[in-house]
Amino acid sequence: MKSCSFHCVQLSQHLSHAFRVETDPFLDLRTTEDGLRTEKCGSHRKRSIAGKLQGQEEAGPAAKTPNPSREEPEPERLGRARGAGQAAAAAAINEEAQPGRNSSPGHGAGPAEGAASPGGHRCSEERGEPGGSGPAAALILGTAAAPAPLLLLLLLLLAAPAAAMASNGTFLACNSLKDDKDLKFLLKGSQLLKVKSSSWRKERFYKLQEDCKTIWQESKKVLRSPESQIFSIEDIRDVRSGHKTEGMEKYAKDVPEYRCFSIIFKDQRKNLDLIASSEDDANHWIAGLGKIIAHSNSMNQKQKLQHWIHTCLRKADKNKDNKMSLKELKDFLKEVNIEVDDYHAKKIFQPWCRLRLAYARRKEGFHSFSPLRLQHCDKSKTEALEDDEIEEFYKILTERKEIDSIFQMYSDPEGFMSCQNLVRFLYEVQQEEDAVVAAPALIQRYEPNERAKRGNAMTKDGFLMYLLSDEGNIFNPSHRKVYQDMTQPLSHYLVSSSHNTYLMEDQITGPSSTEAYIRALTKGCRCVELDCWDGPNSEPVIYHGYTLTSKILFSDVIKAIKNYAFQTSPYPVIISLENHCSVEQQKVMAQHMTTILQDMLLVAPVDGNKSQFPSPEQLKGKILVKGKKLSRQEDPINGNNNLEAEDVSDEDEAAEIEDESVKTKVEQKGKSDTLKLAKELSDTVVYCKSVHFEGFDDPSHPRAFYEMSSFSESKALKLAQESGTSFIHHNIRHLSRIYPAGWRTDSSNYSPVDLWNVGCQIVALNFQTAGTEMDVYQGRFQDNGFSGYVLKPEFLRDEQTKFNPKSITEGTWGTKKKLLLKIISGQQLPKVNKSKNSIVDPKVTIEIYGVQQDSNKKQTKVIENNGFNPNWNEEFTFDIEIPALALVRFVVEDFDMSTKNDFIGQYTLPFTSLKQGYRHIHLLTKNGDPYSSSTLFVFVNIQDCE
């Protein structure tokens, strides 16, 4: 294929069109010794597959420009139309509904992303890198190399000033593409020292692959698969310079910090600690990866879909002949999670076949893949798809008929939705109160067609971009920032809290790590636990007492807390101390906290407040210590005396573990009920004095507000069941901490919901364990700006309240609601089975959590063999008694008739954060991280119950 060079200005003009359609830009980026060269590929007809799918000119009728001068409808009139509008819009997609059918088992494995050869570097053959070399190893399905949107957009981002990017991610200008040294360096690759221990430090070659999405790493292991030598940029949570991980602190102290960096992964994978040969090399890796991650995160949903599909297309064209054979087509469909048998796949290659196939059995799972539509793709009759045929196939592949039907209700015959009609849609269907103001802003933000934008109108592409955006999300975007009153006493908030925070795995033999604190704090946790024991060299250590869990230094944990306490949230962090140390090492603990935390550590009352807790707002940037206080001291609010040390009651949660070896060690130790407490450590406790629970307050002799108790889950649940209202009153004035039962040695979790319902604030879970309980937990705390503090409902803060979640009576608990949910479709669901031939059979379950009357679960039918675009079109209704306490969880599973269903993805949010109308749900992984392009499309309607 011939190619000719062209200027960056021409490239910028091309991109302004290319990123408004369904494909990677048609460019050739090749790594040479002189850097990156940009080329436009060849003739009009003899193009590569991905090249043929390039952007077209802006869509839109040539005859008529939408008229922006129409009078906007009055909100009052819209209010009268709102109910009818929602009903009509909901009915628009009913034509797509299909009858259910019997389900069958099926499993899937996600496409192995970025498995292509690094190529383009002579060292690849020498080091045994996978695949071919040169341009043939790039991202497209043809002989000429072309980049995915991520690579090209990234290069533009690196070369262009920040102001060059519009809010929707479209670039308005570009400078030279070959000036970013960081990216060029990563594409070339370099030798790095991989560090595992003090005795294991080996040289390995690392290289950013041409897709700009994966890193290839050299391995000396025998029989290691090519896939295992690759990891995705999307799996990286953070890149840290210097000695910022436990491994680097232990094993690389002899190496200057400026040569060291670590890659932190999102899941439970171990950190990758690396040492570069020079400061410049380290800086290239740190800065380059940071830029790629930042840009990947900024890609909109449509760009992510385009890049994913093109990755699958590239993988499917095995012989690189610029065509897609029948076998390659089937391989591609399997990559995107669709099963098509030989008979139906062949229909794509038989344009002469006009059979009216009875396809109802599969149509609900294949609405975009009817053979009657795909049979027209192979117009060349070559038994392969090429050129325009690929483009036609791509359009069919990415069609969203359910979106089209909604758009057509509000658009004119020429395919434009006027600003006036967008206002109607937003107000009547989406229930947006500020529709008149929001509509013009949405057009400017998401409409890719400049002509439509100038006419103050929206095309179908812009409408889809809006529905996939944050404004089209099911989670209320205004709740992504702190919006609740943060000036209430601390006891009026639910607090995101971790149990035995130092543990990475189970409670008996698992490793302890400072990384566990970092992960919890960056997930919004505001209360962390430290189990402290005497260590060697007069240095206290943290581990799970009486067990085989590993030990870490107390001082290292305090340093990690200092560095990460306020990266996610500015609101206070509580250090929950379980102290088993001698007086001498308690003094060391106090000294470490004082010298390391400095002004962060709260050591005196705030603003002289001596009658109730200060507010989270008053405690911003402060770290509080929860622990024992000397009983003979005056209360911590009014000052201390000079007592040096004294016996206090001991709290030993580790002794409650239901494990025979632990019980034996406890008996051998001869556990005491008291502990001698050092004054220095006692002085660090101000607002969170630990005391044993002796029963609820006697009104005539109330306890001091700063005294708080810890409860095992079983004891707390018993109190909630038997004395719900009393527990609520207790939690208005006092803090309560709940921890998992001793039998949960596997670090499993309990449901926090019943304890939240009685106002318990510090409901501590094992953050290292994924599952339904953590999904619900993180769903609750994504509210209020992910700040780690959620204000309790008024009826859980009112000292006169009579609310009891176990016995709901009439009261001011909020208006009862009826929730209507329509599960319409799914998009790009990931595979869950590594087998190439396994395709998921997805079903969706909707779960309601809250008071007992509200707890409910309903599920859709199973869609066989389609994880790419399954369609359900099923409606469900739920009655919600106490909306303020309810949460909604959407779970997608791969149905299996013979074994347990496999988890695909989920999303959980508070009922009060639901947005109405047509919304996308952006699914999360098992560990709570977002998938790049996996969504559900739903319709939501909430009504007051009479």
Side-chain angles (χ1 to χ4, degrees):
M1 238 183 241
K2 296 181 180 180
S3 62
C4 58
S5 61
F6 67 107
H7 298 294
C8 289
V9 173
Q10 293 172 297
L11 172 61
S12 178
Q13 294 171 347
H14 177 79
L15 287 173
S16 67
H17 302 298
F19 286 101
R20 293 172 190 144
V21 293
E22 289 78 41
T23 185
D24 284 8
F26 185 42
L27 295 170
D28 180 8
L29 293 184
R30 304 180 188 178
T31 305
T32 67
E33 293 184 63
D34 297 328
L36 292 175
R37 181 172 74 251
T38 310
E39 298 179 337
K40 183 175 180 180
C41 300
S43 65
H44 294 292
R45 291 294 297 173
K46 298 298 182 182
R47 305 183 191 179
S48 66
I49 291 178
K52 184 57 195 170
L53 295 180
Q54 65 170 329
Q56 305 299 311
E57 291 298 318
E58 294 174 352
K64 179 180 177 182
T65 300
N67 182 3
S69 62
R70 294 182 182 178
E71 182 180 354
E72 303 286 4
E74 295 291 336
E76 290 80 4
R77 181 171 62 80
L78 289 175
R80 292 192 297 271
R82 171 174 281 183
Q86 271 213 323
I93 58 172
N94 282 339
E95 295 178 1
E96 301 300 318
Q98 301 296 331
R101 65 180 190 281
N102 294 331
S103 56
S104 66
H107 306 281
E113 296 196 294
S117 160
H121 189 270
R122 65 183 181 85
C123 294
S124 60
E125 292 183 6
E126 300 170 5
R127 294 184 170 84
E129 297 179 34
S133 63
L139 290 182
I140 63 170
L141 294 178
T143 57
L150 180 58
L151 176 57
L152 188 54
L153 284 174
L154 175 67
L155 291 169
L156 285 171
L157 177 65
L158 304 181
M165 190 198 298
S167 60
N168 64 356
T170 302
F171 291 88
L172 304 179
C174 99
N175 297 320
S176 172
L177 298 182
K178 58 184 179 182
D179 293 336
D180 189 78
K181 296 180 180 178
D182 297 325
L183 185 64
K184 288 165 57 178
F185 183 88
L186 267 61
L187 287 167
K188 185 177 180 181
S190 74
Q191 295 283 357
L192 297 169
L193 281 177
K194 184 177 179 180
V195 180
K196 285 188 175 181
S197 69
S198 55
S199 61
W200 200 103
R201 187 185 292 182
K202 298 184 180 181
E203 192 174 71
R204 296 288 185 263
F205 186 77
Y206 289 82
K207 181 183 184 297
L208 175 68
Q209 296 205 103
E210 300 294 341
D211 59 3
C212 215
K213 189 176 180 182
T214 50
I215 301 288
W216 182 86
Q217 54 185 337
E218 180 185 16
S219 175
K220 302 294 186 181
K221 291 183 178 180
V222 180
L223 302 177
R224 184 167 182 176
S225 66
E227 291 79 8
S228 66
Q229 293 181 249
I230 294 169
F231 62 86
S232 173
I233 295 291
E234 292 178 355
D235 293 335
I236 299 175
R237 184 182 301 281
D238 190 18
V239 180
R240 300 179 196 157
S241 60
H243 302 150
K244 297 286 175 51
T245 65
E246 194 172 8
M248 282 299 195
E249 282 280 347
K250 287 182 178 180
Y251 311 129
K253 277 295 190 180
D254 60 313
V255 182
E257 283 202 74
Y258 56 75
R259 287 175 51 200
C260 301
F261 66 98
S262 301
I263 294 175
I264 315 301
F265 294 100
K266 291 179 179 178
D267 52 23
Q268 301 298 319
R269 207 180 325 178
K270 292 181 179 179
N271 299 336
L272 181 58
D273 294 323
L274 300 166
I275 300 174
S277 59
S278 68
E279 181 178 5
D280 285 344
D281 284 8
N283 288 339
H284 281 314
W285 277 102
I286 295 166
L289 289 174
K291 292 169 186 176
I292 298 171
I293 293 168
H295 183 69
S296 179
N297 291 339
S298 71
M299 289 176 69
N300 62 46
Q301 205 70 18
K302 192 172 183 181
Q303 290 168 340
K304 291 176 181 178
L305 169 61
Q306 292 166 4
H307 183 62
W308 179 62
I309 289 179
H310 277 270
T311 299
C312 297
L313 280 169
R314 171 176 53 83
K315 290 177 66 177
D317 187 19
K318 300 295 184 183
N319 59 2
K320 310 299 178 190
D321 65 350
N322 311 325
K323 301 176 183 180
M324 186 180 290
S325 66
L326 173 63
K327 183 179 185 305
E328 289 172 338
L329 174 77
K330 290 184 64 181
D331 287 344
F332 167 75
L333 292 176
K334 288 177 181 177
E335 285 289 345
V336 298
N337 229 342
I338 305 168
E339 177 68 31
V340 176
D341 59 30
D342 287 342
Y343 177 76
H344 291 114
K346 287 178 182 177
K347 296 303 176 185
I348 300 173
F349 297 91
Q350 297 176 3
W352 45 266
C353 180
R354 302 291 179 180
L355 295 176
R356 296 291 176 181
L357 300 176
Y359 206 41
R361 183 177 65 87
R362 288 179 177 246
K363 190 176 180 183
E364 72 267 29
F366 291 94
H367 79 281
S368 291
F369 293 94
S370 167
L372 291 175
R373 302 179 67 241
L374 287 179
Q375 66 187 6
H376 299 290
C377 291
D378 184 20
K379 297 176 182 178
S380 61
K381 303 183 182 180
T382 60
E383 294 296 316
L385 302 184
E386 55 183 309
D387 296 328
D388 291 331
E389 298 163 354
I390 293 289
E391 183 176 345
E392 181 69 19
F393 173 67
Y394 185 96
K395 289 179 179 178
I396 295 172
L397 187 71
T398 56
E399 188 176 31
R400 293 283 301 274
K401 292 181 67 176
E402 72 275 31
I403 303 291
D404 295 350
S405 62
I406 302 166
F407 181 78
Q408 289 168 6
M409 290 186 62
Y410 292 87
S411 61
D412 61 28
E414 296 179 354
F416 288 104
M417 181 187 290
S418 68
C419 186
Q420 179 182 4
N421 282 342
L422 179 57
V423 170
R424 281 183 51 224
F425 173 77
L426 293 175
Y427 195 82
E428 296 173 3
V429 180
Q430 304 295 81
Q431 304 285 290
E432 301 285 5
E433 297 295 337
D434 61 344
V436 174
V437 176
L442 292 176
I443 291 172
Q444 293 303 310
R445 190 173 300 130
Y446 298 114
E447 178 50 54
N449 186 305
E450 289 298 327
R451 182 164 164 243
K453 190 183 291 185
R454 288 193 299 270
N456 204 23
M458 186 173 271
T459 62
K460 183 171 64 176
D461 281 344
F463 187 64
L464 176 59
M465 293 282 282
Y466 150 66
L467 288 174
L468 285 169
S469 73
D470 206 37
E471 282 89 347
N473 200 317
I474 194 171
F475 184 82
N476 191 333
S478 67
H479 292 188
R480 295 194 189 280
K481 60 184 179 181
V482 175
Y483 69 95
Q484 295 176 344
D485 179 8
M486 301 302 285
T487 63
Q488 299 279 329
L490 196 65
S491 56
H492 287 190
Y493 298 83
L494 305 180
V495 184
S496 179
S497 307
S498 165
H499 170 251
N500 287 355
T501 313
Y502 48 89
L503 292 176
M504 298 286 285
E505 297 173 8
D506 65 83
Q507 304 284 311
I508 305 296
T509 61
S512 304
S513 173
T514 55
E515 190 62 39
Y517 287 90
I518 296 171
R519 292 183 181 183
L521 290 168
T522 53
K523 285 184 178 181
C525 179
R526 298 288 87 192
C527 180
V528 295
E529 184 175 1
L530 286 69
D531 287 355
C532 310
W533 300 78
D534 280 353
N537 304 316
S538 299
E539 283 292 339
V541 295
I542 292 174
Y543 83 113
H544 205 195
Y546 317 111
T547 71
L548 299 177
T549 57
S550 61
K551 300 173 182 178
I552 52 178
L553 288 176
F554 177 85
S555 58
D556 288 345
V557 171
I558 298 301
K559 290 174 186 175
I561 292 172
K562 176 189 177 181
N563 292 333
Y564 290 90
F566 304 110
Q567 286 197 3
T568 300
S569 168
Y571 292 101
V573 168
I574 301 172
I575 292 177
S576 178
L577 290 181
E578 187 173 311
N579 170 30
H580 305 279
C581 292
S582 62
V583 170
E584 290 73 21
Q585 294 209 15
Q586 290 177 40
K587 292 178 181 178
V588 176
M589 290 167 57
Q591 183 182 11
H592 282 323
M593 287 193 287
T594 302
T595 56
I596 295 171
L597 299 178
Q598 299 180 343
D599 291 342
M600 289 182 180
L601 183 65
L602 185 76
V603 294
V606 176
D607 298 333
N609 191 339
K610 300 179 181 180
S611 60
Q612 65 176 11
F613 282 108
S615 68
E617 188 67 30
Q618 291 174 297
L619 293 169
K620 265 186 175 179
K622 290 295 183 182
I623 295 175
L624 287 66
V625 176
K626 169 200 164 288
K628 289 294 182 178
K629 195 77 177 171
L630 292 176
S631 61
R632 291 184 185 177
Q633 288 181 301
E634 297 178 39
D635 68 79
I637 300 300
N638 294 313
N640 302 320
N641 63 18
N642 296 320
L643 192 66
E644 290 299 323
E646 183 189 55
D647 286 341
V648 295
S649 60
D650 187 20
E651 292 184 354
D652 192 355
E653 293 174 14
E656 300 178 21
I657 297 177
E658 296 184 14
D659 179 83
E660 289 304 319
S661 62
V662 171
K663 291 179 180 179
T664 300
K665 290 181 180 180
V666 172
E667 291 172 0
Q668 291 173 348
K669 181 187 174 184
K671 183 179 177 300
S672 173
D673 292 332
T674 61
L675 172 77
K676 192 171 288 294
L677 180 65
K679 177 182 182 298
E680 289 82 354
L681 189 58
S682 175
D683 287 348
T684 63
V685 177
V686 179
Y687 285 116
C688 302
K689 177 183 177 182
S690 296
V691 299
H692 282 290
F693 180 71
E694 303 293 348
F696 296 119
D697 278 356
D698 180 349
S700 61
H701 297 90
R703 291 193 317 187
F705 73 89
Y706 52 80
E707 294 184 344
M708 63 175 293
S709 300
S710 293
F711 306 85
S712 68
E713 66 173 273
S714 55
K715 184 174 182 179
L717 288 170
K718 183 177 180 181
L719 288 172
Q721 178 70 38
E722 298 176 356
S723 309
T725 304
S726 297
F727 211 171
I728 290 170
H729 280 277
H730 175 84
N731 289 325
I732 292 172
R733 193 160 181 265
H734 301 279
L735 291 173
S736 291
R737 175 178 168 272
I738 319 300
Y739 58 91
W743 58 266
R744 296 187 183 275
T745 57
D746 59 349
S747 294
S748 60
N749 281 311
Y750 57 98
S751 172
V753 175
D754 286 341
L755 299 163
W756 287 336
N757 290 347
V758 291
C760 294
Q761 303 90 347
I762 303 176
V763 182
L765 295 194
N766 294 304
F767 269 49
Q768 72 272 33
T769 305
T772 301
E773 296 80 12
M774 271 308 297
D775 293 342
V776 171
Y777 203 85
Q778 291 298 84
R780 169 59 73 193
F781 284 106
Q782 74 166 310
D783 195 8
N784 201 31
F786 200 53
S787 64
Y789 285 85
V790 173
L791 185 65
K792 293 190 285 189
E794 173 62 31
F795 55 81
L796 294 182
R797 295 180 279 124
D798 180 9
E799 294 186 356
Q800 307 302 318
T801 188
K802 296 181 180 179
F803 179 74
N804 185 344
K806 298 298 181 182
S807 179
I808 304 296
T809 59
E810 292 298 322
T812 57
W813 328 132
T815 305
K816 297 178 184 178
K817 303 289 184 180
K818 183 176 288 293
L819 171 64
L820 167 67
L821 283 173
K822 184 167 190 174
I823 307 299
I824 302 170
S825 61
Q827 293 77 41
Q828 295 85 59
L829 302 180
K831 290 191 175 187
V832 295
N833 190 305
K834 292 183 179 180
S835 169
K836 176 183 175 182
N837 294 320
S838 183
I839 310 298
V840 300
D841 301 328
K843 71 167 187 174
V844 181
T845 303
I846 307 111
E847 300 169 349
I848 307 295
Y849 296 88
V851 297
Q852 188 172 344
Q853 292 92 319
D854 292 341
S855 297
N856 205 339
K857 180 188 294 188
K858 298 180 181 181
Q859 62 187 32
T860 66
K861 61 179 178 287
V862 176
I863 301 296
E864 293 184 0
N865 294 326
N866 185 359
F868 183 75
N869 63 348
N871 270 255
W872 291 278
N873 281 308
E874 293 187 61
E875 293 185 1
F876 306 92
T877 58
F878 300 89
D879 293 324
I880 309 297
E881 188 89 14
I882 311 293
L885 297 178
L887 297 104
V888 185
R889 182 172 184 252
F890 299 86
V891 191
V892 186
E893 294 178 307
D894 178 16
F895 175 77
D896 194 311
M897 187 176 295
S898 58
T899 64
K900 182 180 179 181
N901 296 337
D902 290 320
F903 175 90
I904 294 177
Q906 69 86 32
Y907 190 79
T908 308
L909 74 165
F911 178 86
T912 53
S913 294
L914 283 170
K915 290 290 285 183
Q916 298 192 65
Y918 290 103
R919 303 288 171 179
H920 277 96
I921 299 172
H922 296 262
L923 295 173
L924 305 178
T925 67
K926 184 178 181 180
N927 291 307
D929 298 305
Y931 284 114
S932 60
S933 57
S934 299
T935 56
L936 295 178
F937 187 52
V938 302
F939 178 79
V940 183
N941 180 247
I942 300 172
Q943 301 171 359
D944 292 344
C945 290
E946 298 181 358

